[in-house]
Structures are given as structure tokens and as C-alpha cells.
Amino acid sequence: MQPETSRRAVAVLAVACALAALAMAAALLHHPQAAASYTPPPFDPAAVTGTPAAPEGYGTVDAPAYTVALCGAPAVQEGAAQLWFTNPGQNTVWLKVRIYTPDGILLGESGLLKPGQYVQAVALSPVPDAGTSIVLKVMAYEPDTYHSAGAVTLNTALAD
């Protein structure tokens, strides 16, 4: 390639890059909400501060970065799993739980709990029969940033 041809090719590529950068900037300015579409999960309005006097079957699960306490085989009362989902006070993360069927259908979820809080029940829809297998997915979030602090999945069943 001759020096003059090389300079033209570089100039054409530089102009093309500049136009592409301008187009991306215009797209972001025209649709700023597309860049900030994350909505953090809300805190649970039913959260209670303290440690629950939970029924038999309540215990703790140690994940690498936190501990969670809950009822291993929750009963269903009035359309809600009596989970006694607890974020122990020694944790430094916010927790929430989702309840799924084994094939991945979401049945219900809590809001976020701060350390030292619990919720007795998580509403279910649809409400499965007693004895139905469920999956509990506990998700942890770093306070204020909402970055993931890990998740743990527990396979269990609703109490008979």
C-alpha cells in the first residue's frame, strides 16, 4: 500500500469511529432510562425486628458469607408458607427468599430483610397442596449497593 493510500484509509477509519461514537452517545442521551433499568427489590413491609419463637423444624443454614434461619418444611396457612424466614443479627447482608416449584414456577417471595429481622409467612400464588415439593432460593445483597453476596437453594416440601 502506498503512503498516500494508507493515510486515506486511516482518515476514513478515524471518521467512521468518530461517527459510531457520536451515534452511541446520541442513543444514550435519547434513551437514558435504558442504561439505568435496574430496580432494587423492596424491603418487606411485614418484617419484624427480633428473633422469632418459631415452631419445630426451624433451623439455620450456613452459606459462605451469611447464615439464614427458616422452617425446613413450612406449613401452609391462609395461602401463605409459614416459613419464619430470618436474617440473623450477626449477618452483614440483606436477605430475601423466593419459593419455586421444582420446575421453576415462582410461587411467592419475600421482600428484603435487614440483619435482625424476620417474616413469619410468605404469600403463595397459586397455593400448592400440602406435601408438594418446593425450592427455596435465598438471595443475599450487599447493603446500599445491592450487589449479590451469593445465593443458596434448598429443596424441601410443604408440611402435611
Side-chain angles (χ1 to χ4, degrees):
M1 204 183 264
Q2 295 181 350
E4 187 176 317
T5 306
S6 293
R7 279 185 241 144
R8 283 189 191 156
V10 169
V12 168
L13 288 174
V15 169
C17 287
L19 290 174
L22 286 172
M24 286 189 288
L28 284 174
L29 291 174
H30 184 63
H31 298 290
Q33 69 278 7
S37 63
Y38 177 73
T39 303
F43 287 93
D44 200 306
V48 177
T49 300
T51 303
E56 187 175 322
Y58 177 82
T60 60
V61 176
D62 291 323
Y66 57 90
T67 298
V68 62
L70 45 72
C71 193
V76 176
Q77 294 177 354
E78 299 177 10
Q82 302 299 305
L83 201 54
W84 297 92
F85 177 62
T86 306
N87 186 353
Q90 75 269 17
N91 283 343
T92 58
V93 296
W94 297 336
L95 297 179
K96 75 176 282 178
V97 65
R98 286 185 174 158
I99 304 172
Y100 292 97
T101 64
D103 55 349
I105 297 170
L106 180 64
L107 298 172
E109 67 183 307
S110 73
L112 287 175
L113 298 181
K114 294 179 181 178
Q117 293 183 326
Y118 72 93
V119 291
Q120 178 179 338
V122 175
L124 301 172
S125 180
V127 180
D129 295 329
T132 299
S133 294
I134 59 170
V135 177
L136 303 174
K137 182 175 183 182
V138 178
M139 294 163 286
Y141 297 86
E142 293 178 6
D144 302 319
T145 65
Y146 294 93
H147 290 149
S148 174
V152 64
T153 302
L154 307 165
N155 295 314
T156 188
L158 296 171
D160 288 327

